[in-house]
Amino acid sequence: MVDQFGPVSTLRDALVGRVRVLNRPMPLWGVLAPVLVLTAMLAALAVGVAGGSARSTPEVAPAPSAAAESGEDQRASGAPSGEQRKPVSLLEKAAAGEPTALATLEQKKPNELATDEALAVARGKVAQDVAAAKKLRERLSADPGLAKDKKVVGDLLRFAHGRETSQDALATMAALPGPLSADLVYEVWTGTAQRSDATELARAILLGKDVRPKASPALGVALDLREATTCEESLALLTRAIEQGDKRALVPINRLARRTGCGPNKKLDCYPCLREGDLLKRAFNAVRVRREPDLLR
């Protein structure tokens, strides 16, 4: 119980004035000081707790607006900001190989076809072939047995001579198992009299370490005869040609029958060691009656 003595004139008089606490007189400030200290401590503790909570609460970034997302999509697609993408034209669709667009242009008569339309048709056909060659490669990679289908083989050979599809087609042939792999690549190399990037690549692949070991004995003889550089090497190969060779060895054997091509004037015989006996004739007769694999039969 607090009981104040006497009248109070000022705040200072009030603080130093005496009050009775538990029947004991004591100054008023002695009663108020502990209360004020305790209040300050509780206030400081409350502020600390509030500050810790604010620091521990993670900041959440505001969700992007629909407009911002739309702008990002446009930048990612290359479309100008604030503009809608222009519709793809008939020519663009045709050049990309879209069948309906191509058919629309191909239905036109030659005198109705503009230059840019003719170019779009040509590019579209190339695009279709590129896509078909890649798809065929994937199919044969998953199931090499499809190479027994003559239509598949025909498509492979056609793609192998295309400017934009030859690499895919030759890579597909090279990956096939067994002698068929080398037979197909050999056909690309020698199946045309004209040399091209495709025939040169086919030769490099066929004679390389991945495909050459897969060649059949008959094709192996033909390849070795083509690669022989001396008369003695060719002489040793003729016996193998008699036993194993087929028509693919005819071209190098005919080359061995020539009696000119060497010396300063190219009039000397390059293979004099083959002129004795009938080994060269026997090899020629043996290989000319053996058919090479008919890849399309």
Side-chain angles (χ1 to χ4, degrees), residues 81-200:
S81 177
E83 297 182 8
Q84 292 183 349
R85 296 180 63 183
K86 295 181 179 180
V88 180
S89 68
L90 176 66
L91 289 181
E92 291 172 325
K93 289 180 180 179
E98 202 278 316
T100 303
L102 270 178
T104 300
L105 294 181
E106 289 180 316
Q107 288 174 0
K108 289 190 174 185
K109 295 179 180 179
N111 61 349
E112 298 175 343
L113 203 64
T115 300
D116 56 354
E117 292 175 330
L119 290 171
V121 170
R123 290 167 181 158
K125 290 181 177 179
V126 170
Q128 286 185 334
D129 281 346
V130 169
K134 291 182 178 179
K135 184 176 180 180
L136 186 57
R137 182 177 182 180
E138 292 171 357
R139 289 175 58 201
L140 283 167
S141 176
D143 183 8
L146 291 174
K148 297 178 182 179
D149 186 332
K150 300 307 178 183
K151 183 182 183 307
V152 170
V153 172
D155 288 340
L156 266 180
L157 291 173
R158 178 170 63 87
F159 290 145
H161 288 288
R163 179 184 296 273
E164 304 296 334
T165 56
S166 60
Q167 294 185 17
D168 255 333
L170 285 167
T172 303
M173 295 175 181
L176 292 174
L180 179 61
S181 171
D183 289 340
L184 286 170
V185 179
Y186 177 83
E187 177 63 23
V188 178
W189 175 28
T190 64
T192 176
Q194 296 179 340
R195 295 178 62 178
S196 65
D197 292 342
T199 61
E200 292 302 304

Side-chain angles (χ1 to χ4, degrees), residues 10-258:
T10 65
L11 177 61
R12 180 177 177 280
D13 292 339
L15 291 176
V16 300
R18 298 272 179 173
V19 295
R20 188 181 299 276
V21 179
L22 299 179
N23 295 322
R24 295 181 60 186
M26 59 184 305
L28 180 59
W29 65 265
V31 176
L32 296 179
V35 175
L36 293 175
V37 171
L38 180 60
T39 301
M41 292 176 63
L42 291 175
L45 180 60
V47 171
V49 171
S53 297
R55 287 191 296 270
S56 62
T57 303
E59 294 185 0
V60 179
S65 65
E69 290 181 351
S70 175
E72 291 178 359
D73 291 343
Q74 288 178 345
R75 288 192 294 274
S77 63
S81 177
E83 297 182 8
Q84 292 183 349
R85 296 180 63 183
K86 295 181 179 180
V88 180
S89 68
L90 176 66
L91 289 181
E92 291 172 325
K93 289 180 180 179
E98 202 278 316
T100 303
L102 270 178
T104 300
L105 294 181
E106 289 180 316
Q107 288 174 0
K108 289 190 174 185
K109 295 179 180 179
N111 61 349
E112 298 175 343
L113 203 64
T115 300
D116 56 354
E117 292 175 330
L119 290 171
V121 170
R123 290 167 181 158
K125 290 181 177 179
V126 170
Q128 286 185 334
D129 281 346
V130 169
K134 291 182 178 179
K135 184 176 180 180
L136 186 57
R137 182 177 182 180
E138 292 171 357
R139 289 175 58 201
L140 283 167
S141 176
D143 183 8
L146 291 174
K148 297 178 182 179
D149 186 332
K150 300 307 178 183
K151 183 182 183 307
V152 170
V153 172
D155 288 340
L156 266 180
L157 291 173
R158 178 170 63 87
F159 290 145
H161 288 288
R163 179 184 296 273
E164 304 296 334
T165 56
S166 60
Q167 294 185 17
D168 255 333
L170 285 167
T172 303
M173 295 175 181
L176 292 174
L180 179 61
S181 171
D183 289 340
L184 286 170
V185 179
Y186 177 83
E187 177 63 23
V188 178
W189 175 28
T190 64
T192 176
Q194 296 179 340
R195 295 178 62 178
S196 65
D197 292 342
T199 61
E200 292 302 304
L201 178 58
R203 179 183 182 276
I205 290 175
L206 178 61
L207 300 180
K209 64 179 183 179
D210 295 325
V211 176
R212 178 64 179 83
K214 293 190 282 188
S216 65
L219 179 56
V221 170
L223 295 178
D224 289 342
L225 283 169
R226 284 175 177 269
E227 296 300 307
T229 57
T230 67
C231 184
E232 289 72 22
E233 289 176 348
S234 300
L235 179 63
L237 289 170
L238 289 178
T239 301
R240 282 179 53 200
I242 293 172
E243 297 173 354
Q244 302 173 336
D246 59 23
K247 281 189 176 181
R248 290 175 290 187
L250 273 178
V251 171
I253 288 177
N254 280 332
R255 188 190 71 227
L256 297 178
R258 298 173 187 166

